[in-house]
Structure formats: structure tokens, C-alpha cells
Amino acid sequence: MKTRAITGFFFIIVMLGSMLLGGRVFDAFYLILAILSLIEFYRLMTGSGSSPAQLLGVFTGILVYLTSVLMGSFDPDLPVHSLMLLLVPVMAAVFIQELYRKSAAPFANIGYTFLGVIFVVVPFSFFHALGYTRLLGDYSFHIPLGFFIMLWANDTGAYLSGYFFGRTKLFERHSPKKTWEGFIGGVLIACLAGYILSLFYAELPWYQWVTVGGLIGCFGTLGDLVESMVKRSINVKDSGNLLPGHGGLLDRFEGLLLAAPIVYTYLYFVTNL
């Protein structure tokens, strides 16, 4: 418990610093985080008997993330399309490499290579984009910070609600401890956190902050369940051991994997960010 508490304290400090120290730190930190999480995913798949093309997958992930960074700058002179076109030979190389491998399941390897990029790097790219919107102008930490506050509020609310009132299992097959009561409590607490954030950050009206809190509560929980499904399918408890007492990076950012793309999509269509 002591190790978990110490790790959690420094984790929060690092996360806050990554957003408060400016745009360049934000860009670099989440690139590193996305790639480390991708490598963790590939190690999980390798441990289950598959053999994804890790080097090419990482290179693809870097290109996807950097494309998102350049698109977020809104500068038409930046070579966004050139960077996107680089993805074509890199992705083709994944198939070519598999031709030379002696694998019993070549398309499983190819599938896991691309799944890692889609499941891990793309969500981090959407989260990164929340810091660079026309709504905010230049980089602003308000929405990314608000995202994590609501995500943490959802986790805390779900735990407390489930502990005191939990009776009905949510998805026992994938996560035996989650309950509908905990899920509902987590969503309500995330919405409350969204309303409180609206009192400090006026970029969004209060009802949109609350809506974002509800989306994070719903899809953050769904992300937790999906990541649990992945781990149970390959019979592992934690995605890694990078964070003592907490497991791996995917264990800590599982709620972001589905919530970040959904939140960005909602804000894009509602606020034209």
C-alpha cells in the first residue's frame, strides 16, 4: 500500500507537470507516453504467442502522433500531408516483413501490429489534440487537465459507490468487482467535477462540461472493461510493471483509450473546435 501511494503521488505530480509546463513539454511527454504504452501492448501480445512487428509498429505510431501534432498547429505551411504519405511505405513494410517470417499466423501478427497503433497511439493523439483547438487558440492545459480531473473523479466515485452500494455486477466476466451502482456513481461524480470545472474554465458552458464528464464516465469505464478483456484473454493480471503498485501504463490510462476520441469528437461537432 505504501509503494502504491508513493507511486500514485509522483504519478499525479508528473501528469500535472506535463500539462502545466507548456505546449512543447506536453507534445513530447505524450509522444513518449504513447510509444511506451504501445511497446507495453506489443509485449503483452508477444507474451501471448503472437509476434507483432514492433519496430515498424513503433515507427508507425510516431508518424501518426506527429501528424496529429502538426495538424493541431493549424499552420498550412507545415508538411502534414508529406508526413501522412510516409505512412504508406511503413505500413507496406509490415506486410513485406511478414512475408520473410516463418510464422504460423502471419495475419495475426500484422493485425496486432496495427491494432496496437489504433488502440493505443490514436487515443493519445486525440487527447493531445484537446490541448490545441481553435476554441482555445494556442496551447491551453484547461481541457486536458479537466479531462483527467473528470476521469480521476469517475474512478474515485465508482470505487466509493461500488464499495458502499454495489450489488449488481456490471460485466462480471471481464471485471468481477465493477457494479452498476459503482458505474452510475462514477458518472455522477464525473459530471459534478465537470460542473465545478465550468466555474473556473469558461471555454465551455457548464452544460458542455457536464456532458463531457458524463461521456468520460461512460466511455472511461468502457475503456477499463476493454483493457480488462485484453488482459483476461491472455491470462495476465497487469499490463506491465513500470509503475510499482499500479501495474503498467495501460493499467493507468485504460480510461483514456476510448474516452479521449469520443470527447474530442463531441467537442468538434458541438463547439467546432
Coordinates of all heavy atoms in Angstrom, one line a residue, residues 195-241:
Y195 N -19.1 20.2 -13.7 CA -19.7 21.5 -13.3 C -18.8 22.4 -12.5 O -18.7 23.6 -12.8 CB -21.0 21.2 -12.5 CG -21.7 22.4 -12.0 CD1 -22.4 23.2 -12.9 CD2 -21.5 22.9 -10.7 CE1 -23.0 24.4 -12.5 CE2 -22.1 24.0 -10.3 CZ -22.9 24.8 -11.2 OH -23.4 26.0 -10.7
I196 N -18.0 21.8 -11.6 CA -17.1 22.6 -10.8 C -16.0 23.2 -11.7 O -15.6 24.4 -11.6 CB -16.5 21.7 -9.7 CG1 -17.5 21.3 -8.7 CG2 -15.3 22.5 -9.0 CD1 -17.1 20.3 -7.7
L197 N -15.6 22.4 -12.7 CA -14.6 22.9 -13.7 C -15.1 24.1 -14.4 O -14.4 25.1 -14.8 CB -14.1 21.8 -14.6 CG -13.2 20.8 -14.1 CD1 -13.1 19.6 -15.0 CD2 -11.8 21.4 -13.9
S198 N -16.4 24.1 -14.7 CA -17.0 25.2 -15.5 C -17.0 26.5 -14.7 O -17.0 27.6 -15.3 CB -18.5 24.9 -15.9 OG -19.3 25.0 -14.7
L199 N -16.8 26.5 -13.4 CA -16.8 27.7 -12.6 C -15.4 28.4 -12.7 O -15.2 29.5 -12.4 CB -17.0 27.4 -11.1 CG -18.4 26.7 -10.8 CD1 -18.5 26.4 -9.3 CD2 -19.5 27.5 -11.3
F200 N -14.4 27.6 -13.2 CA -13.0 28.1 -13.3 C -12.6 28.3 -14.8 O -11.8 29.2 -15.1 CB -12.0 27.2 -12.6 CG -12.3 27.0 -11.1 CD1 -13.1 26.0 -10.6 CD2 -11.7 27.9 -10.2 CE1 -13.3 25.9 -9.3 CE2 -11.9 27.8 -8.9 CZ -12.7 26.8 -8.4
Y201 N -13.1 27.4 -15.6 CA -12.6 27.5 -17.0 C -13.9 27.8 -17.9 O -14.8 26.9 -18.0 CB -12.0 26.2 -17.5 CG -10.8 25.8 -16.6 CD1 -10.6 24.5 -16.2 CD2 -9.9 26.8 -16.3 CE1 -9.4 24.1 -15.5 CE2 -8.7 26.4 -15.5 CZ -8.6 25.1 -15.1 OH -7.5 24.8 -14.4
A202 N -13.9 28.9 -18.5 CA -15.1 29.4 -19.2 C -15.1 29.0 -20.7 O -15.9 29.5 -21.5 CB -15.2 30.9 -19.1
E203 N -14.1 28.2 -21.2 CA -14.1 27.9 -22.6 C -15.3 27.2 -23.0 O -15.8 27.3 -24.2 CB -12.9 27.0 -22.9 CG -11.5 27.7 -22.8 CD -11.0 27.6 -21.4 OE1 -11.7 27.2 -20.5 OE2 -9.8 28.1 -21.2
L204 N -15.9 26.4 -22.1 CA -17.1 25.7 -22.4 C -18.2 26.1 -21.4 O -17.9 26.3 -20.2 CB -16.9 24.2 -22.3 CG -15.9 23.5 -23.2 CD1 -15.7 22.1 -22.8 CD2 -16.3 23.6 -24.7
P205 N -19.5 26.2 -21.8 CA -20.5 26.4 -20.9 C -20.7 25.2 -19.9 O -20.3 24.1 -20.2 CB -21.8 26.6 -21.7 CG -21.5 26.0 -23.0 CD -20.0 26.1 -23.2
W206 N -21.4 25.5 -18.8 CA -21.4 24.5 -17.7 C -22.0 23.1 -18.2 O -21.6 22.1 -17.9 CB -22.2 25.0 -16.5 CG -23.7 25.1 -16.8 CD1 -24.3 26.2 -17.2 CD2 -24.7 24.1 -16.6 NE1 -25.7 26.0 -17.3 CE2 -25.9 24.7 -16.9 CE3 -24.6 22.8 -16.2 CZ2 -27.1 24.0 -16.9 CZ3 -25.8 22.1 -16.2 CH2 -27.0 22.7 -16.5
Y207 N -23.1 23.2 -19.1 CA -23.7 22.0 -19.5 C -22.8 21.2 -20.5 O -23.0 19.9 -20.5 CB -25.1 22.3 -20.2 CG -25.0 23.3 -21.4 CD1 -24.8 22.9 -22.6 CD2 -25.2 24.7 -21.1 CE1 -24.7 23.7 -23.7 CE2 -25.1 25.6 -22.2 CZ -24.9 25.1 -23.5 OH -24.8 26.0 -24.5
Q208 N -21.9 21.8 -21.2 CA -21.0 21.0 -22.0 C -19.9 20.4 -21.2 O -19.5 19.3 -21.4 CB -20.4 21.9 -23.1 CG -21.4 22.3 -24.2 CD -20.8 23.1 -25.3 OE1 -19.6 23.3 -25.3 NE2 -21.6 23.5 -26.3
W209 N -19.4 21.1 -20.1 CA -18.5 20.5 -19.2 C -19.2 19.2 -18.5 O -18.5 18.2 -18.4 CB -18.1 21.5 -18.1 CG -16.9 22.4 -18.5 CD1 -17.0 23.7 -18.7 CD2 -15.6 22.0 -18.7 NE1 -15.7 24.2 -19.0 CE2 -14.8 23.2 -19.0 CE3 -14.9 20.8 -18.6 CZ2 -13.5 23.1 -19.3 CZ3 -13.5 20.8 -18.9 CH2 -12.8 21.9 -19.2
V210 N -20.4 19.4 -18.1 CA -21.1 18.3 -17.5 C -21.3 17.1 -18.5 O -21.1 15.9 -18.1 CB -22.5 18.7 -17.0 CG1 -23.3 17.6 -16.5 CG2 -22.3 19.7 -15.8
T211 N -21.6 17.5 -19.7 CA -21.8 16.4 -20.8 C -20.5 15.7 -21.0 O -20.4 14.4 -21.1 CB -22.3 17.0 -22.1 OG1 -23.5 17.7 -21.9 CG2 -22.4 16.0 -23.2
V212 N -19.4 16.4 -21.1 CA -18.1 15.8 -21.2 C -17.8 14.9 -20.0 O -17.3 13.8 -20.2 CB -17.0 16.9 -21.4 CG1 -15.6 16.2 -21.2 CG2 -17.1 17.6 -22.7
G213 N -18.1 15.3 -18.8 CA -18.0 14.5 -17.6 C -18.8 13.2 -17.8 O -18.3 12.1 -17.4
G214 N -20.0 13.3 -18.3 CA -20.8 12.1 -18.5 C -20.2 11.1 -19.5 O -20.2 9.9 -19.4
L215 N -19.7 11.7 -20.6 CA -19.0 10.9 -21.6 C -17.8 10.2 -21.1 O -17.5 9.0 -21.4 CB -18.6 11.8 -22.8 CG -19.8 12.3 -23.7 CD1 -19.3 13.3 -24.7 CD2 -20.5 11.2 -24.4
I216 N -17.0 10.9 -20.3 CA -15.8 10.3 -19.7 C -16.1 9.2 -18.8 O -15.5 8.2 -18.7 CB -14.9 11.4 -19.0 CG1 -14.3 12.3 -20.1 CG2 -13.9 10.8 -18.1 CD1 -13.6 13.5 -19.5
G217 N -17.2 9.4 -18.0 CA -17.7 8.4 -17.0 C -18.1 7.1 -17.8 O -17.7 6.0 -17.4
C218 N -18.8 7.3 -18.9 CA -19.3 6.1 -19.6 C -18.2 5.4 -20.4 O -18.0 4.2 -20.2 CB -20.5 6.6 -20.6 SG -22.0 7.1 -19.7
F219 N -17.5 6.2 -21.2 CA -16.5 5.6 -22.1 C -15.2 5.3 -21.4 O -14.4 4.5 -21.8 CB -16.3 6.5 -23.3 CG -17.5 6.4 -24.3 CD1 -18.5 7.4 -24.2 CD2 -17.6 5.4 -25.2 CE1 -19.6 7.3 -25.0 CE2 -18.7 5.3 -26.0 CZ -19.7 6.3 -25.9
G220 N -14.9 6.0 -20.3 CA -13.8 5.7 -19.5 C -13.9 4.3 -18.8 O -13.0 3.5 -18.8
T221 N -15.2 4.1 -18.3 CA -15.5 2.7 -17.8 C -15.4 1.7 -18.9 O -14.9 0.6 -18.6 CB -16.9 2.7 -17.2 OG1 -16.9 3.7 -16.1 CG2 -17.2 1.4 -16.6
L222 N -15.9 2.0 -20.1 CA -15.8 1.0 -21.2 C -14.4 0.7 -21.5 O -14.0 -0.4 -21.8 CB -16.6 1.6 -22.4 CG -16.7 0.7 -23.6 CD1 -17.5 -0.6 -23.2 CD2 -17.5 1.4 -24.7
G223 N -13.5 1.7 -21.5 CA -12.1 1.5 -21.8 C -11.5 0.6 -20.7 O -10.7 -0.3 -21.1
D224 N -11.9 0.8 -19.5 CA -11.4 -0.1 -18.4 C -11.8 -1.6 -18.7 O -11.0 -2.5 -18.6 CB -12.0 0.3 -17.1 CG -11.5 1.6 -16.6 OD1 -10.6 2.2 -17.2 OD2 -12.0 2.1 -15.6
L225 N -13.0 -1.7 -19.1 CA -13.5 -3.1 -19.4 C -12.8 -3.7 -20.6 O -12.5 -4.9 -20.6 CB -15.0 -3.0 -19.6 CG -15.9 -2.7 -18.4 CD1 -17.3 -2.4 -18.8 CD2 -15.8 -3.9 -17.4
V226 N -12.6 -2.9 -21.6 CA -11.9 -3.4 -22.8 C -10.5 -3.8 -22.5 O -10.0 -4.9 -22.9 CB -11.9 -2.4 -24.0 CG1 -11.0 -2.8 -25.1 CG2 -13.3 -2.2 -24.5
E227 N -9.8 -3.0 -21.7 CA -8.4 -3.4 -21.3 C -8.4 -4.6 -20.4 O -7.5 -5.5 -20.5 CB -7.7 -2.2 -20.6 CG -6.2 -2.2 -20.7 CD -5.6 -2.6 -19.4 OE1 -6.3 -2.7 -18.4 OE2 -4.4 -2.8 -19.3
S228 N -9.4 -4.7 -19.5 CA -9.5 -5.9 -18.7 C -9.8 -7.2 -19.6 O -9.2 -8.2 -19.4 CB -10.6 -5.8 -17.7 OG -10.4 -4.8 -16.8
M229 N -10.6 -7.0 -20.7 CA -10.9 -8.1 -21.6 C -9.6 -8.5 -22.3 O -9.4 -9.7 -22.5 CB -11.9 -7.6 -22.6 CG -12.3 -8.7 -23.6 SD -13.7 -8.2 -24.7 CE -12.9 -6.8 -25.6
V230 N -8.7 -7.6 -22.7 CA -7.5 -7.9 -23.3 C -6.6 -8.7 -22.4 O -6.1 -9.8 -22.7 CB -6.7 -6.6 -23.7 CG1 -5.3 -6.9 -24.2 CG2 -7.4 -5.9 -24.9
K231 N -6.5 -8.3 -21.1 CA -5.6 -9.0 -20.2 C -6.2 -10.4 -19.8 O -5.4 -11.3 -19.7 CB -5.5 -8.1 -18.9 CG -4.7 -6.9 -19.1 CD -4.4 -6.2 -17.8 CE -5.6 -5.6 -17.1 NZ -5.3 -4.8 -15.9
R232 N -7.5 -10.5 -19.7 CA -8.0 -11.8 -19.4 C -7.9 -12.8 -20.5 O -7.8 -14.0 -20.4 CB -9.5 -11.6 -19.0 CG -9.7 -11.1 -17.6 CD -11.1 -11.0 -17.1 NE -11.2 -10.5 -15.8 CZ -11.1 -11.3 -14.7 NH1 -10.9 -12.6 -14.8 NH2 -11.2 -10.8 -13.5
S233 N -7.9 -12.2 -21.8 CA -7.8 -13.1 -22.9 C -6.4 -13.7 -23.0 O -6.3 -14.7 -23.7 CB -8.1 -12.3 -24.2 OG -7.1 -11.4 -24.5
I234 N -5.4 -13.1 -22.4 CA -4.1 -13.6 -22.5 C -3.6 -14.0 -21.1 O -2.4 -14.3 -20.9 CB -3.1 -12.6 -23.1 CG1 -3.1 -11.3 -22.4 CG2 -3.4 -12.4 -24.6 CD1 -2.1 -10.3 -22.9
N235 N -4.5 -14.0 -20.1 CA -4.2 -14.5 -18.7 C -3.1 -13.8 -18.0 O -2.1 -14.4 -17.5 CB -3.9 -16.0 -18.8 CG -5.1 -16.9 -19.2 OD1 -6.2 -16.7 -18.8 ND2 -4.8 -17.8 -20.2
V236 N -3.2 -12.4 -18.0 CA -2.2 -11.7 -17.2 C -3.0 -10.7 -16.3 O -4.1 -10.3 -16.6 CB -1.3 -10.8 -18.1 CG1 -0.4 -11.7 -19.0 CG2 -2.1 -9.8 -19.0
K237 N -2.4 -10.4 -15.2 CA -3.1 -9.5 -14.2 C -2.9 -8.1 -14.5 O -3.8 -7.3 -14.4 CB -2.6 -9.9 -12.8 CG -3.2 -9.0 -11.7 CD -2.7 -9.3 -10.3 CE -3.3 -8.4 -9.3 NZ -2.7 -8.7 -7.9
D238 N -1.6 -7.7 -14.8 CA -1.3 -6.3 -15.1 C -0.7 -6.2 -16.5 O 0.0 -7.2 -17.0 CB -0.2 -5.8 -14.1 CG -0.8 -5.7 -12.7 OD1 -2.0 -5.4 -12.5 OD2 -0.1 -6.1 -11.7
S239 N -0.8 -5.1 -17.1 CA -0.2 -4.9 -18.4 C 1.3 -4.7 -18.4 O 1.9 -4.9 -19.4 CB -0.9 -3.6 -19.1 OG -0.5 -2.5 -18.4
G240 N 1.9 -4.4 -17.3 CA 3.3 -4.3 -17.1 C 3.7 -4.0 -15.7 O 2.8 -4.2 -14.8
N241 N 4.9 -3.6 -15.4 CA 5.3 -3.3 -14.1 C 6.1 -2.0 -14.0 O 6.9 -1.8 -13.1 CB 6.2 -4.5 -13.5 CG 7.4 -4.8 -14.5 OD1 7.7 -4.0 -15.4 ND2 8.0 -5.9 -14.3

